[in-house]
């Protein structure tokens, strides 16, 4: 079943800035959909349209079966949003943020306390519960914001750069939570500039550049479509990266021969698989070339 179906979405902001042009895609229920693109590509605009915060100028989108332009209120009950650059209130404690948001979402006192503890434990925030958010590090504040979005057990969650500023372990906590949500059928829409995050999480990717779709498909399809290939790197121990020899083998025979040559010449042989970053630069790098 489709959680999202978007056809021909366009957005022109009031002063004439064209942010999106004819964007179409579908997202399966219980999957992770990743929006990638350079700064200003249109990711937040698209996310806000799907989350009923902005109206599209053209096209039609249905989220969980509701038209985003006409059925905003029933849809809002089923979704949660972590906006880009959201900030907690500095003079409230981490605990109070989650607890009061539980109460606002309609939970009674004991239910709210239980849910607050559950979420704060999951996000490894419990030990910080009594600290004012003013006294928390940026990464911990970001976890408080994500915790607030977890309260309603939404059917679909929008995360606009959720792991920005988090340390590698903090990011993995968020990844685990995202995977756990999809296992119970929650759909996740996320934007990120971290290619490893997209590679780890995305069932489908939409890469946009200057408001237009430049790729829609899986991570593997993105790599295959760019012709990004596995590389072999030969380097003598103790030499610099400038002394590396990079080979793109065309056959199994060439792989074997390269390994044998590496051994003969006393070089380390390492394999470098194609990365999503290479595919991203291929798809979204056109505008870099134009600019330079
Ligand atoms: N409220 C607004 N009014 C006018 N123009 C806007 C508004 N919000 C965004 N834009 C413009 O729309 C385009 C897309 O912006 P958007 O915020 O969607 O990009 P993004 O892909 O989320 O970028 P980033 O990676 O920097 O978050 C940009 O040209 C931006 O300047
Ligand atoms: Mg953005």
């Amino acid at each position: 079943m489709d959680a999202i179906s978007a056809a021909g979405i366009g957005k022109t902001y009031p002063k004439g800035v064209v942010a999106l042009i004819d964007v179409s895609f579908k997202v399966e229920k219980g999957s992770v959909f990743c929006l990638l693109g350079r700064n200003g590509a249109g990711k937040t605009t698209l996310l806000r349209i799907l989350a009923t915060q902005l109206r599209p100028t053209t096209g039609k989108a249905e989220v969980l079966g509701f038209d985003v332009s006409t059925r905003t209120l029933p849809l809002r009950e089923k979704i949660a949003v972590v906006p880009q650059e959201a900030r907690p209130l500095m003079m409230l404690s981490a605990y109070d943020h989650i607890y009061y948001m539980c109460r606002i979402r309609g939970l009674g006192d004991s239910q709210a306390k239980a849910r607050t503890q559950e979420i704060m434990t999951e996000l490894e925030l419990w030990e910080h519960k009594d600290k004012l958010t003013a006294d928390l590090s940026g990464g911990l504040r970001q976890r408080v914001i994500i915790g607030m979005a977890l309260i309603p057990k939404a059917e679909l969650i929008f995360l606009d750069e959720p792991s920005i500023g988090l340390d590698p372990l903090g990011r993995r906590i968020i990844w685990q939570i995202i995977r756990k949500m999809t296992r119970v059928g929650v759909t996740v829409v996320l934007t990120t500039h971290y290619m490893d995050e997209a590679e780890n999480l995305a069932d489908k990717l939409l890469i946009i550049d200057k408001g237009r779709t430049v790729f829609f498909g899986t991570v593997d399809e993105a790599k295959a479509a760019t012709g990004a290939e596995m590389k072999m790197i030969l380097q003598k121990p103790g030499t610099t990266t400038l002394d590396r020899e990079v080979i793109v083998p065309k056959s199994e025979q060439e792989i074997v021969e390269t390994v044998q040559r590496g051994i003969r010449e006393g070089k380390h042989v390492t394999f470098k698989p194609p990365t999503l970053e290479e595919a991203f630069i291929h798809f979204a790098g056109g505008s870099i070339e134009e600019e330079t």
Side-chain angles (χ1 to χ4, degrees):
M1 197 193 126
D2 289 331
I4 304 178
S5 141
I9 296 292
K11 177 70 188 177
T12 303
Y13 281 105
K15 282 184 187 159
V17 177
V18 179
L20 292 172
I21 304 155
D22 194 19
V23 176
S24 304
F25 58 90
K26 284 183 192 297
V27 177
E28 222 171 276
K29 187 175 178 297
S31 69
V32 179
F33 178 64
C34 225
L35 285 171
L36 302 181
R38 302 185 62 204
N39 292 131
K43 303 177 297 297
T44 298
T45 303
L46 181 56
L47 188 140
R48 295 188 65 206
I49 287 172
L50 298 172
T52 75
Q53 295 174 354
L54 274 179
R55 270 183 202 283
T57 318
T58 63
K60 187 176 158 69
E62 278 190 5
V63 175
L64 302 172
F66 297 101
D67 187 307
V68 294
S69 300
T70 57
R71 306 288 311 283
T72 50
L73 292 181
L75 175 55
R76 281 178 193 167
E77 286 177 15
K78 295 182 180 291
I79 61 174
V81 186
V82 174
Q84 188 172 4
E85 292 162 10
R87 296 281 173 272
L89 298 168
M90 293 299 167
M91 299 319 286
L92 269 187
S93 71
Y95 182 94
D96 286 347
H97 268 90
I98 315 274
Y99 172 78
Y100 285 123
M101 190 49 84
C102 285
R103 298 302 304 267
I104 289 167
R105 289 278 188 169
L107 301 186
D109 177 56
S110 57
Q111 271 179 312
K113 283 179 175 151
R115 184 93 183 106
T116 303
Q117 184 165 356
E118 187 186 5
I119 289 172
M120 294 191 83
T121 308
E122 195 164 32
L123 286 167
E124 295 184 15
L125 275 174
W126 191 244
E127 62 182 293
H128 305 287
K129 69 182 171 58
D130 297 322
K131 290 183 192 159
L132 295 182
T133 53
D135 298 334
L136 293 180
S137 72
L140 290 171
R141 283 181 204 156
Q142 179 69 359
R143 283 195 230 165
V144 172
I145 295 286
I146 292 171
M148 289 164 73
L150 297 179
I151 295 165
K153 295 195 172 163
E155 286 178 39
L156 193 152
I157 185 159
F158 294 97
L159 303 164
D160 201 348
E161 299 193 29
S163 66
I164 195 156
L166 298 191
D167 68 50
L169 295 175
R171 292 172 64 211
R172 275 160 183 77
I173 294 172
I174 306 300
W175 297 358
Q176 273 169 20
I177 289 168
I178 290 174
R179 286 207 198 90
K180 206 167 150 193
M181 287 195 284
T182 57
R183 280 202 287 275
V184 293
V186 176
T187 309
V188 178
V189 174
L190 110 141
T191 78
T192 183
H193 288 294
Y194 297 118
M195 294 299 131
D196 60 335
E197 184 158 290
E199 205 155 0
N200 261 287
L201 292 173
D203 293 298
K204 284 277 175 70
L205 295 174
L206 179 73
I207 307 181
I208 41 182
D209 190 41
K210 293 183 178 165
R212 289 182 196 274
T213 301
V214 287
F215 175 79
F216 175 58
T218 65
V219 171
D220 286 344
E221 285 164 356
K223 289 178 188 173
T226 58
E229 290 168 285
M230 201 259 295
K231 296 187 184 74
M232 294 177 77
I233 295 162
L234 274 75
Q235 188 177 354
K236 256 209 157 84
T239 58
T240 69
T241 51
L242 290 173
D243 300 314
R244 278 179 171 180
E245 190 183 341
V246 181
I247 289 164
V248 181
K250 294 281 176 272
S251 64
E252 281 186 23
Q253 165 108 16
E254 198 179 347
I255 295 175
V256 174
E257 284 171 5
T258 306
V259 171
Q260 287 171 339
R261 183 161 66 82
I263 293 168
R264 267 201 317 276
E265 295 174 1
K267 291 177 177 168
H268 284 163
V269 182
T270 42
F271 290 82
K272 192 169 170 286
T275 62
L276 182 59
E277 184 151 333
E278 288 170 298
F280 177 80
I281 291 168
H282 170 91
F283 286 117
S287 47
I288 303 178
E289 281 161 24
E290 278 167 36
E291 282 162 22
T292 52

